[in-house]
Amino acid sequence: SDVYKRQIVMSQSPVEKFSSLFQTFLGVRDDLNEGPDDNEYYEDFIAENLLEKVEIVSHEIADGPDQKRFAVYKVLVITKLNEYKVDKRYSNFYDLSQLIEKKYGLPVCGDFPKKILIGNLDPQIIEARKVSFNVFLSYMVNKYREFKVVEFLKFLDIKTHLPINQRGGFSMGVIKLTKQDEEKITKFLEILNRYTETLQKTLRDFETYFFEKKPKLSLDMMQSLLIGDRKYKGLIYFCGRIDENGQHNSCAIGLKFLCNLLEHEHNREAEYYIKLYTNTPPKVIAVLNLAKHITGKSFCKVFALKLYHIYNMKSNAGSIAQLPLLEDEEAAREYEVWRRKKGSYNSSSDIIRMPKSGNDELDLYQLARQNGCCFILI
């Protein structure tokens, strides 16, 4: 900010003033201990385990204000909500490594690239440093949660790129939904709300678009997609609808779409959709008609069981008896049978992988029911 820049200028010599402002402009300046106490923010970030990967992907040579040239390393930061790049110099890495070793006792400086006065822009030196820095970054990604190394998160400029939204949760930072994607999602919701006769096709097209395009959404947009907003109802209100002729074609597509949104295997932001889904009041979840699908014999059954299970396990609604979703005794029994078989089924992802064969849909459904799984990959 301008205030922060003025504070820098007032406390530095003329040469340092210009150097600091220039580095700030380039994005390579990094004071590890600057700003107010943000412990609560970083504690939440660490608890959510949002950081996935950090690596140097490229570099460039920049000219400093003192006519000295230096290497700027482009660091790619990937979180569960977004990805972005930050620029760092050797001195940024060096200062962080020294601080971490002294403060946390982590052995990060043993193989750290040494300072050199001549030849630091040699391509071989830069490539060797990139390799060493990537080893250091990978090590810190694995260790920062265990030791709560807040300085590492500040080094990555996490808070700048992943601020807190009005609900107190993490928002998408500088990564924003493109106007084209926003219009496309809004258009799908509009069609779902206005043209129920094309429900099956719209759900299929929506699912295909979403998992091919994989748009990065803000939490507000996630909520609009899943629950709805003042203008349109969200997916929950349409995914469980049975066709007018009594067939379960539309709901099979819709419940599968909803399940995939809540599956990490299919959706990188699944954890945030799960939170939205499980914090939705039971009376809203009831529009999915889960009991009807669970007691039926259509392929949507396995998806309904999975959706109920996620809600039952992670929501704050209470025990099965307190949830108004399975008031039907037959549905409750079906769920209990499925849950027991699921518990004995030895798979962390509830997936059966099968080669292509002559099995028809009924055979696959029976296999899924026997094993208590929700997804079959063929």
Side-chain angles (χ1 to χ4, degrees):
S1 68
D2 292 335
V3 174
Y4 177 60
K5 291 178 182 178
R6 285 197 298 272
Q7 291 174 342
I8 294 174
V9 172
M10 291 174 63
S11 62
Q12 295 176 322
S13 67
V15 174
E16 290 174 329
K17 292 174 186 177
F18 188 65
S19 177
S20 294
L21 289 175
F22 184 77
Q23 290 182 33
T24 301
F25 172 75
L26 287 177
V28 299
R29 189 178 190 279
D30 187 36
D31 291 331
L32 297 177
N33 297 308
E34 67 182 11
D37 184 5
D38 295 321
N39 285 340
E40 186 175 351
Y41 171 89
Y42 293 111
E43 286 175 1
D44 290 343
F45 182 92
I46 292 171
E48 293 281 358
N49 192 21
L50 295 178
L51 189 61
E52 290 191 335
K53 186 177 182 180
V54 181
E55 65 176 343
I56 295 173
V57 292
S58 62
H59 75 277
E60 63 182 28
I61 305 301
D63 294 315
D66 52 1
Q67 304 302 316
K68 288 186 178 180
R69 307 183 76 200
F70 54 87
V72 178
Y73 298 92
K74 304 289 184 178
V75 181
L76 175 65
V77 182
I78 301 177
T79 76
K80 291 179 179 178
L81 285 175
N82 66 353
E83 59 183 64
Y84 61 92
K85 292 179 183 177
V86 290
D87 295 345
K88 298 296 174 182
R89 294 180 61 177
Y90 172 89
S91 58
N92 300 134
F93 284 98
Y94 179 81
D95 292 344
L96 177 64
S97 66
Q98 293 290 316
L99 184 149
I100 288 174
E101 185 164 276
K102 291 177 182 178
K103 184 174 180 178
Y104 299 95
L106 295 176
V108 297
C109 297
D111 298 326
F112 201 83
K114 305 298 182 183
K115 285 185 176 181
I116 56 176
L117 298 178
I118 300 175
N120 58 351
L121 297 184
D122 183 281
Q124 292 184 343
I125 296 294
I126 292 176
E127 289 303 318
R129 283 184 169 183
K130 284 164 67 174
V131 171
S132 297
F133 289 154
N134 275 332
V135 171
F136 167 68
L137 292 171
S138 179
Y139 176 80
M140 290 308 305
V141 169
N142 292 327
K143 291 292 184 181
Y144 87 97
R145 292 189 71 227
E146 179 183 352
F147 292 90
K148 294 182 171 54
V149 186
V150 170
E151 291 81 2
F152 180 57
L153 300 179
K154 291 182 178 181
F155 170 82
L156 299 177
D157 297 336
I158 289 291
K159 192 170 183 181
T160 300
H161 295 85
L162 202 62
I164 294 292
N165 62 21
Q166 292 181 347
R167 291 188 177 88
F170 292 99
S171 62
M172 299 302 293
V174 298
I175 302 292
K176 294 183 179 180
L177 185 67
T178 65
K179 185 177 181 180
Q180 184 178 4
D181 285 336
E182 185 174 5
E183 290 176 350
K184 190 73 173 178
I185 290 174
T186 303
K187 187 63 177 179
F188 274 122
L189 292 176
E190 178 186 358
I191 295 173
L192 284 173
N193 279 263
R194 293 186 177 180
Y195 307 103
T196 56
E197 64 275 11
T198 62
L199 179 61
Q200 184 176 334
K201 181 181 184 302
T202 304
L203 286 171
R204 183 184 289 111
D205 291 346
F206 199 172
E207 180 186 24
T208 300
Y209 157 78
F210 188 90
F211 291 107
E212 285 184 356
K213 185 70 173 178
K214 300 185 187 307
K216 294 181 179 296
L217 310 184
S218 66
L219 290 178
D220 287 340
M221 197 64 193
M222 288 182 191
Q223 180 167 351
S224 296
L225 186 154
L226 194 64
I227 314 299
D229 52 29
R230 293 182 179 180
K231 192 172 184 179
Y232 299 121
K233 293 179 179 179
L235 279 176
I236 281 181
Y237 289 89
F238 304 97
C239 287
R241 290 191 181 180
I242 300 172
D243 299 324
E244 292 183 1
N245 59 7
Q247 298 296 313
H248 287 251
N249 297 322
S250 296
C251 55
I253 297 170
L255 295 180
K256 173 176 170 287
F257 185 7
L258 192 54
C259 269
N260 287 346
L261 283 174
L262 308 180
E263 281 283 337
H264 292 282
E265 179 181 355
H266 300 282
N267 183 14
R268 187 171 172 176
E269 283 83 36
E271 191 61 34
Y272 294 88
Y273 284 92
I274 290 173
K275 287 183 179 179
L276 288 170
Y277 174 70
T278 54
N279 286 326
T280 302
K283 65 179 181 180
V284 176
I285 300 296
V287 303
L288 288 170
N289 295 315
L290 295 181
K292 285 186 178 181
H293 301 301
I294 288 173
T295 55
K297 298 185 182 298
S298 300
F299 197 55
C300 59
K301 180 188 188 90
V302 289
F303 302 115
L305 284 164
K306 181 70 172 181
L307 288 168
Y308 178 76
H309 184 68
I310 293 173
Y311 194 84
N312 184 50
M313 292 296 101
K314 295 199 173 186
S315 74
N316 297 319
S319 66
I320 294 176
Q322 293 175 304
L323 285 173
L325 303 182
L326 295 188
E327 295 176 346
D328 186 291
E329 292 183 4
E330 182 183 354
R333 286 195 300 269
E334 288 273 358
Y335 171 71
E336 284 301 319
V337 171
W338 176 86
R339 186 174 62 85
R340 287 196 297 271
K341 289 183 177 179
K342 180 181 185 298
S344 62
Y345 179 57
N346 186 23
S347 171
S348 60
S349 57
D350 304 330
I351 296 175
I352 297 176
R353 300 183 183 273
M354 296 177 56
K356 288 185 177 180
S357 69
N359 292 333
D360 59 21
E361 182 176 303
L362 180 59
D363 293 332
L364 298 178
Y365 161 70
Q366 290 173 343
L367 184 61
R369 184 176 181 183
Q370 291 167 2
N371 289 280
C373 73
C374 278
F375 298 98
I376 302 175
L377 305 183
I378 303 173

